[in-house]
Amino acid sequence: MNLSKRNILATLGVMVVFPALLGIGCRSPRWNVSTTKVTPASVEVDLVGVTPSDEPYWKNMRPDDYWKPDSSIRSGATKVTTRFQEGQTWVLSKDNPIWDKWLAHGVTEIMVIANLPGSYDNSLYDRRRVFLPLKAKAWRPKDQTLEIEVQDEFVKVLTPSKGKR
């Protein structure tokens, strides 16, 4: 085989194998998401899958609009919901079928949003919601679990981040 044929075959091999390797590294991992309520109030919490194309929408959405009765924003979200009555912990398992749906749609973040009692500024910085990037390199979790705490006035991420997400 001459040099040019060998180069062509090598180039074709790289074109086929390299994208496959890149795809493996780009998939978002599945996490256990542990949400603990430490407020005495009864609250509802949603975990919403966010794709890169929907990220600006979710980050600009006002939490009061999301929690309005019969909200089309909330009903249209690809989400899981829990209702806390008393202090307890709820875990969304990494084996939950919602992950299949989220990852099939290209979800790269989860928005955790809590319907807390009281008045809030309802701004972009409203602390009733947080965004969790799903990249493995974003977190230092214990047991593949991202830990969230729902407090009286805000949602707090307890899992240490690895710096800039």
Side-chain angles (χ1 to χ4, degrees):
M1 187 180 299
N2 67 29
L3 187 58
S4 64
K5 285 183 182 176
R6 207 176 286 157
N7 286 345
I8 291 171
L9 288 175
T11 302
L12 286 173
V14 168
M15 290 172 61
V16 170
V17 173
F18 192 65
L21 290 174
L22 285 177
I24 290 168
C26 293
R27 275 199 64 175
S28 294
R30 295 170 184 241
W31 299 94
N32 297 310
V33 181
S34 175
T35 307
T36 303
K37 179 180 87 85
V38 295
T39 177
S42 295
V43 296
E44 195 166 15
V45 177
D46 284 358
L47 277 61
V48 179
V50 178
T51 65
S53 61
D54 289 338
E55 180 184 1
Y57 172 79
W58 288 114
K59 289 192 174 177
N60 288 294
M61 179 268 313
R62 296 182 183 278
D64 285 350
D65 293 338
Y66 183 87
W67 290 113
K68 282 182 183 173
D70 301 318
S71 166
S72 61
I73 298 169
R74 185 170 184 227
S75 65
T78 306
K79 67 183 180 312
V80 291
T81 300
T82 190
R83 289 172 185 82
F84 289 107
Q85 299 300 319
E86 309 247 341
Q88 57 187 344
T89 298
W90 172 72
V91 177
L92 172 68
S93 167
K94 64 183 180 174
D95 299 324
N96 188 297
I98 192 68
W99 283 104
D100 294 329
K101 188 180 251 187
W102 281 344
L103 295 176
H105 288 99
V107 165
T108 57
E109 286 183 282
I110 296 174
M111 177 180 69
V112 180
I113 185 166
N115 190 8
L116 296 172
S119 298
Y120 297 89
D121 68 1
N122 203 34
S123 72
L124 301 177
Y125 307 105
D126 193 310
R127 296 195 60 202
R128 291 176 286 173
R129 69 174 168 201
V130 294
F131 291 86
L132 307 174
L134 297 179
K135 292 185 259 179
K137 294 182 179 183
W139 303 104
R140 291 186 204 124
K142 286 189 252 176
D143 304 319
Q144 290 187 296
T145 301
L146 301 179
E147 296 180 66
I148 309 300
E149 193 172 78
V150 179
Q151 300 183 358
D152 288 328
E153 297 177 357
F154 57 90
V155 177
K156 181 178 184 179
V157 180
L158 299 178
T159 302
S161 70
K162 288 185 179 178
K164 189 174 182 180
R165 298 183 216 169

